[in-house]
Each structure stands twice: as structure tokens, then as C-alpha cells.
Amino acid sequence: LRVRVPAASSIQLALHTLDGRVVKSWPSRSLEAGEALISVDVTDIPSGTYLLRAQSDVVRAAFQVTVLH
């Protein structure tokens, strides 16, 4: 996942089903201002389509992702 943050902040990631149920969340990570590449482990998640939500003090975004095994 490639994200751009305008200022240094801590970001929280959570994977949701399309109906809004949280499937998995990851510990907050600190990011410096600028562009960052974030990897998340989804090996324990069933194949399917999900929403990956990223939230911090300065950024809030959701990305549709497809998990394939």
C-alpha cells in the first residue's frame, strides 16, 4: 500500500469486509511526512474483496483490495 502523508503522524490500518465488519487490524505505525510504502500480512485472511482503511491525525482513506491465495 502506497500512501502520502502531509505531516509526520501515526497511522492505523484495519481490514473490513464490504459490509463493514473488521476482519483484522494492525498496530499503529509511525510515518514521516511524504510517501511511504506499507506492507500488511494477509496470509491468514480468506480470499475475497475487502476495504483497507487507513486513518491518522492528518489522513483518512479507504482502498478496495482483493486477497488471492
Side-chain angles (χ1 to χ4, degrees), residues 18-49:
L18 295 180
D19 64 1
R21 185 175 52 88
V22 176
V23 176
K24 185 171 183 174
S25 61
W26 292 269
S28 294
R29 336 173 163 209
S30 296
L31 296 179
E32 297 297 321
E35 191 171 284
L37 186 60
I38 299 174
S39 297
V40 291
D41 179 12
V42 294
T43 55
D44 58 338
I45 303 297
S47 295
T49 302

Side-chain angles (χ1 to χ4, degrees), residues 11 53-63:
I11 192 166
R53 296 185 190 268
Q55 184 171 334
S56 76
D57 296 339
V58 295
V59 172
R60 184 176 299 176
F63 308 89

